[in-house]
Amino acid sequence: MNILEDMNPQQKEAVQYTRGPLLILAGAGSGKTRVLTHRIAYLIENGVKPYHIMAITFTNKAAQEMRDRVDQIVGFGSESIWVSTFHSSCVRILRRFIDRIGFLNSFTIYDTDDQKTLMKQVIKKLELDPKIYKERALMSAISSAKNEMISPEQFEKNAGLDWNKKKISQVYYEYQAELKKNNALDFDDLLVKTVELFKQCQDVLEYYQDRFQYLMVDEYQDTNTVQFQFINLLAAKNRNLCVVGDDDQSIYKFRGANIRNILEFEKSFPDAKVIKLEQNYRSTSNILDAANGVISNNKGRKEKKLWTENEKGAKITFRKFQNGFEEAEYVTGEISRKIRNGECRYGDIAILYRTNAQSRLFEEKLLIANIPYKIVGSVNFYARKEVKDLLSYLKTVDNASDDLAVQRIINVPKRGIGATTISRIQAHAAESGTNFYGALLEAQYIPGLSRSLSKIESFTTFIQKLRTQVQYYSVKELLEHIIEETGYVKKLEAEDTDEARARIENIDELISKVVTYEEEEESPTLSGFLQEVALVADIDSIDSDSDFCLLMTLHSAKGLEFPYVFMAGMEDGIFPSYMTITGDDPDELEEERRLCYVGITRAKKELVMTAASQRMIRGETQYNKVSRFVHEIPRELVELGREKDLDRDAFVNPRQRFSNNVSFKPRQFTVTRLEHLEYNVGDTVRHTKFGVGEVTDIADGGKDYEVTVHFDHAGVKKMFASFAKLKKI
């Protein structure tokens, strides 16, 4: 094939520039994936061995898409090219060399739920008040530190006389010590430990520098400090680094992304070549002009302007409603109308919003209208109780040092090993400096366990037997053996409820996942399967062939595209948020504007924006003005439902902004806070309207507890505990 065929001049230049640092500023829909894959093919055509090429992106979905395209274009030898995410790349490196920095190569990867469980244990061990030191806040502080390559020692030093930060540094020390004891890494550690490995072991770094002589990085605007260091270390020797990104789509500051990495690329590499891809192949001209009108208000950006040869297309539709109910009703009605008229499939439509809490009204209306939908960001399949239980068995077999996995399953299904027994085993483990499973093996020497000794020995014998079978059993056989021996499914079958049947279906799906993994992997292993499961993200589960509407936050929509997009909640106080508007940091507002730009450019054919005059937020009726981002769209591009929905004069200058003041109506009622809850996270509860579900989160909302429940049929709901009146089953 002709690699440069049907490419515009800028794309051709980017493909052919192969020596030295290169920054490709790729606007939304400008064909960056095509450029990257064809650049790889061009390198190989010009004598570069596939073995020496590495391409990194952020999501498994994006990596798989690139992998498929590379395989199709390159053909023979493409399997030698590393095409993967940052985390997957680091896992491959660490599986081989992490023993050089004090870990076992069979380390476990902790997901968010595992981290929360571990953090709760750390808070308890340090005797901190959980009402003051919440696990989410501590996890966020530690994650931010790791993203900036700040060690516990440096964190403590930076804390100075700040008493609160000193407490966090204690938690950081203990959290890392527990991870090390469990031979486990969290997601941030995957990168941090790889950078540590490179810095401490020069021979390992040189091995990978010689291996990856041509390095390409997608979505460079989303990189944080530790990712920046990882890339720079790999590229330092050969300097053939090509980064692709769009500063206008940098929206992950809250995850540690540093927009300076792309804005100051030429400072890090003074001899860098810069190529702009500004021709858009995705959207209509009106949609692009609207996006340009909004993003041009940002000051911290590299100058560029999207354009297209596509048709002008429909204007941006803006509708304003009295309240959120009317807004959701309108969107649902428009979807039904489009389907009735044969304009599109359900799968062509996305509803985007700023926060997850906004999904509730849309869910209710879509259910009533019998419109199939899926929420991106709802309870992850691998976070469901029955799936986590069985995965914990597999984790224990693979890495018995993982205390969280062992403690989760020691009494699942119930073996009569109670909380007192577990506490004594934990105390013995702490005193003897061993892990929890090691303490179980020494149970006969622990005082006060005589009644439970036979049950503990039965458990450890079962695990030891499984560990000897790993080399003879496939992962599927091992999982089925665990299910059979524990009687997990038989117990659910005996319950004979809708909930139990749904759980059995999830277990069947887990077995199917194992089979798929073993069929696709050349050398399948238990560690490999657990690694693949740990690195799955919500966005990776989206099937482009499935016919249902997608509901998601604007952050989740990054990288996706849809013929028809609804952007809901376009109000000052919602988007941008009230905190952003009233805050002192102008960078926060610029990031919100970039998020709006991302939302607009997801649309290919039609974009509808909606707002409500009043909206119920945390039990209060809130009155907001129309979002300033709507007013920044040139007036001639907008079609209004009613002229009075917007002040026409506000469109004279697209840069004109409304006042920062957001008015609120006084509360219409008071929330009566419950003193205590009869259920905890993980419990099964019943709601009078939504039926049976599992509690996935309980947060102290100040006025009352905010309970998040994943219902079997109604999906994810957030409710005040006093209103929900949930009954534990």
Side-chain angles (χ1 to χ4, degrees):
M1 65 173 291
N2 183 353
I3 293 171
L4 302 177
E5 189 177 0
D6 297 328
M7 285 192 159
N8 65 44
Q10 292 74 30
Q11 290 176 330
K12 289 178 182 177
E13 186 180 12
V15 167
Q16 292 176 296
Y17 192 90
T18 59
R19 303 294 298 182
L22 170 65
L23 169 61
I24 302 174
L25 289 172
S30 61
K32 66 183 178 65
T33 304
R34 186 165 182 256
V35 168
L36 281 175
T37 52
H38 283 246
R39 192 173 188 272
I40 291 171
Y42 185 84
L43 285 168
I44 295 171
E45 191 177 76
N46 285 271
V48 177
K49 294 180 180 178
Y51 181 83
H52 290 311
I53 301 172
M54 182 184 199
I56 306 175
T57 188
F58 275 81
T59 67
N60 294 318
K61 185 180 177 68
Q64 188 58 52
E65 181 185 353
M66 195 182 297
R67 171 90 267 167
D68 292 342
R69 291 205 204 178
V70 167
D71 290 346
Q72 187 177 5
I73 296 171
V74 175
F76 180 76
S78 65
E79 68 279 356
S80 300
I81 304 167
W82 267 31
V83 182
S84 63
T85 64
F86 275 101
H87 291 102
S88 295
S89 298
C90 290
V91 169
R92 288 180 70 175
I93 294 168
L94 293 173
R95 285 286 181 215
R96 186 171 181 182
F97 290 110
I98 198 172
D99 58 317
R100 301 279 293 272
I101 55 172
F103 283 78
L104 299 177
N105 296 87
S106 60
F107 61 86
T108 298
I109 302 170
Y110 276 3
D111 62 18
T112 305
D113 283 343
D114 296 329
Q115 289 176 258
K116 284 176 65 178
T117 302
L118 183 61
M119 186 58 73
K120 286 178 181 177
Q121 293 180 3
V122 169
I123 292 170
K124 185 177 180 180
K125 185 174 182 178
L126 294 178
E127 298 181 342
L128 300 176
D129 185 348
K131 293 180 180 178
I132 299 174
Y133 297 96
K134 300 182 183 298
E135 66 265 14
R136 284 184 181 275
L138 292 169
M139 286 164 57
S140 177
I142 291 171
S143 179
S144 296
K146 290 182 179 181
N147 287 338
E148 294 298 319
M149 288 293 294
I150 298 173
S151 66
E153 294 80 8
Q154 187 62 47
F155 193 98
E156 182 182 26
K157 185 177 179 181
N158 295 346
L161 299 177
D162 190 315
W163 187 81
N164 186 57
K165 287 184 178 179
K166 280 190 173 296
K167 282 291 182 184
I168 296 174
S169 73
Q170 291 178 19
V171 173
Y172 191 1
Y173 271 113
E174 189 62 34
Y175 175 76
Q176 289 304 112
E178 288 295 314
L179 283 173
K180 182 72 179 294
K181 181 170 72 72
N182 293 355
N183 192 37
L185 304 179
D186 62 21
F187 286 120
D188 297 316
D189 280 333
L190 295 176
L191 279 146
V192 171
K193 295 302 177 186
T194 304
V195 171
E196 283 183 15
L197 173 68
F198 284 168
K199 289 182 175 180
Q200 293 179 29
C201 306
Q202 186 65 28
D203 59 323
V204 176
L205 174 60
E206 289 178 359
Y207 168 79
Y208 284 106
Q209 287 176 335
D210 292 336
R211 168 78 192 267
F212 303 123
Q213 296 176 15
Y214 293 84
L215 184 63
M216 277 163 274
V217 183
D218 193 12
E219 304 288 4
Y220 189 68
Q221 77 280 349
D222 293 333
T223 54
N224 57 32
T225 299
V226 65
Q227 288 163 340
F228 177 80
Q229 290 199 27
F230 171 73
I231 294 163
N232 278 15
L233 285 167
L234 279 178
K237 184 174 182 179
N238 297 290
R239 302 187 81 254
N240 296 322
L241 172 63
C242 168
V243 301
V244 184
D246 181 7
D247 52 299
D248 289 335
Q249 295 186 71
S250 179
I251 59 173
Y252 294 120
K253 184 180 179 182
F254 68 97
R255 292 184 189 167
N258 185 355
I259 195 174
R260 314 288 353 148
N261 289 348
I262 191 167
L263 292 178
E264 299 175 1
F265 184 78
E266 297 98 313
K267 287 186 179 180
S268 301
F269 298 90
D271 57 335
K273 172 81 171 176
V274 180
I275 299 172
K276 296 180 181 180
L277 304 182
E278 297 172 292
Q279 183 176 357
N280 177 284
Y281 295 91
R282 174 194 298 161
S283 306
T284 64
S285 177
N286 279 337
I287 289 173
L288 293 184
D289 289 345
N292 288 329
V294 172
I295 201 64
S296 63
N297 290 273
N298 271 4
K299 295 179 181 178
R301 64 186 293 262
K302 290 180 176 289
E303 189 59 40
K304 56 190 169 300
K305 188 173 183 179
L306 291 179
W307 63 276
T308 184
E309 293 179 349
N310 294 342
E311 63 181 358
K312 203 166 186 66
K315 289 185 177 183
I316 312 303
T317 299
F318 177 76
R319 296 288 186 272
K320 183 181 177 184
F321 302 94
Q322 185 64 29
N323 52 52
F325 293 96
E326 290 182 7
E327 177 188 48
E329 203 163 53
Y330 165 78
V331 172
T332 303
E334 282 296 289
I335 294 172
S336 296
R337 183 185 62 78
K338 287 184 180 297
I339 299 300
R340 276 197 313 272
N341 295 342
E343 295 179 37
C344 62
R345 310 160 52 242
Y346 290 115
D348 294 332
I349 301 169
I351 303 173
L352 310 181
Y353 35 76
R354 181 62 182 85
T355 64
N356 278 309
Q358 292 170 253
S359 71
R360 180 182 65 84
L361 290 175
F362 291 103
E363 287 184 76
E364 291 177 0
K365 296 298 182 183
L366 291 170
L367 280 169
I368 293 170
N370 200 29
I371 294 175
Y373 70 91
K374 178 177 180 180
I375 298 181
V376 178
S378 58
V379 177
N380 188 302
F381 173 78
Y382 298 105
R384 292 168 182 167
K385 181 183 184 304
E386 60 279 5
V387 177
K388 288 219 61 149
D389 286 345
L390 293 174
L391 287 177
S392 292
Y393 270 102
L394 294 176
K395 287 179 180 179
T396 300
V397 173
D398 186 55
N399 172 26
S401 299
D402 185 354
D403 284 3
L404 295 191
V406 181
Q407 289 172 23
R408 182 181 182 97
I409 61 170
I410 190 170
N411 205 33
V412 175
K414 295 192 181 301
R415 299 183 172 89
I417 302 175
T420 303
T421 299
I422 292 172
S423 295
R424 286 172 178 161
I425 296 167
Q426 288 174 323
H428 177 81
E431 290 170 7
S432 59
T434 186
N435 54 54
F436 188 81
Y437 187 76
L440 288 175
L441 295 175
E442 300 171 358
Q444 57 184 316
Y445 306 113
I446 303 175
L449 297 187
S450 56
R451 290 185 180 180
S452 305
L453 199 56
S454 62
K455 298 163 187 172
I456 294 171
E457 288 178 348
S458 175
F459 172 74
T460 55
T461 301
F462 176 52
I463 297 298
Q464 292 296 93
K465 181 182 176 183
L466 290 172
R467 300 192 79 189
T468 61
Q469 293 170 335
V470 169
Q471 56 183 319
Y472 307 110
Y473 280 25
S474 68
V475 182
K476 176 177 180 284
E477 289 171 335
L478 189 66
L479 177 57
E480 288 178 333
H481 185 62
I482 290 170
I483 293 170
E484 181 65 28
E485 290 296 312
T486 58
Y488 201 106
V489 169
K490 289 179 181 176
K491 182 176 179 293
L492 291 172
E493 287 174 340
E495 291 181 18
D496 194 28
T497 62
D498 289 342
E499 180 197 354
R501 283 188 283 274
R503 292 189 184 281
I504 293 172
E505 288 173 2
N506 288 336
I507 293 171
D508 290 341
E509 182 62 27
L510 179 61
I511 296 172
S512 297
K513 168 62 183 175
V514 170
V515 172
T516 302
Y517 163 76
E518 292 186 318
E519 288 175 349
E520 294 179 350
E521 192 68 27
E522 188 175 333
S523 302
T525 63
L526 176 58
S527 294
F529 171 71
L530 292 172
Q531 171 183 312
E532 182 167 308
V533 165
L535 297 177
V536 167
D538 288 336
I539 201 71
D540 300 325
S541 64
I542 295 175
D543 183 356
S544 57
D545 295 327
S546 297
D547 194 20
F548 43 65
C549 299
L550 285 179
L551 278 67
M552 67 186 84
T553 64
L554 287 150
H555 282 102
S556 297
K558 176 89 171 354
L560 302 176
E561 57 184 51
F562 307 90
Y564 303 93
V565 169
F566 293 88
M567 288 177 65
M570 298 300 297
E571 304 137 37
D572 273 1
I574 302 293
F575 185 40
S577 70
Y578 182 65
M579 294 295 291
T580 302
I581 295 170
T582 58
D584 297 327
D585 188 355
D587 290 343
E588 296 289 340
L589 185 58
E590 294 217 343
E591 173 135 345
E592 289 280 285
R593 187 173 283 109
R594 290 194 293 270
L595 187 57
C596 183
Y597 173 83
V598 166
I600 293 172
T601 54
R602 296 314 92 196
K604 298 167 70 173
K605 291 184 178 181
E606 293 181 15
L607 173 65
V608 178
M609 292 180 160
T610 60
S613 297
Q614 62 186 58
R615 194 179 293 275
M616 187 74 76
I617 305 290
R618 290 182 179 272
E620 297 178 345
T621 300
Q622 179 173 316
Y623 292 86
N624 295 325
K625 297 176 180 178
V626 172
S627 171
R628 63 196 60 205
F629 300 149
V630 175
H631 288 283
E632 289 171 355
I633 299 173
R635 173 66 184 88
E636 65 273 12
L637 300 178
V638 181
E639 175 199 308
L640 299 174
R642 299 173 301 176
E643 289 300 323
K644 67 177 182 178
D645 283 349
L646 288 168
D647 177 7
R648 291 176 62 87
D649 294 335
F651 282 101
V652 173
N653 178 3
R655 293 176 180 269
Q656 182 174 340
R657 300 194 177 103
F658 275 176
S659 162
N660 286 347
N661 295 328
V662 180
S663 59
F664 293 88
K665 184 179 178 181
R667 281 198 292 174
Q668 302 299 302
F669 56 86
T670 58
V671 177
T672 304
R673 181 186 177 92
L674 294 179
E675 291 301 318
H676 69 280
L677 301 180
E678 298 177 353
Y679 45 83
N680 293 305
V681 173
D683 285 343
T684 302
V685 294
R686 185 183 301 279
H687 186 274
T688 54
K689 178 179 178 182
F690 301 124
V692 175
E694 181 181 335
V695 179
T696 59
D697 189 37
I698 298 175
D700 191 343
K703 302 180 184 70
D704 193 7
Y705 292 105
E706 290 183 357
V707 185
T708 303
V709 183
H710 184 265
F711 292 101
D712 294 342
H713 300 294
V716 178
K717 306 288 182 185
K718 280 190 177 182
M719 301 163 284
F720 282 128
S722 56
F723 296 152
K725 294 182 172 59
L726 299 170
K727 298 294 183 184
K728 182 177 177 181
I729 299 177

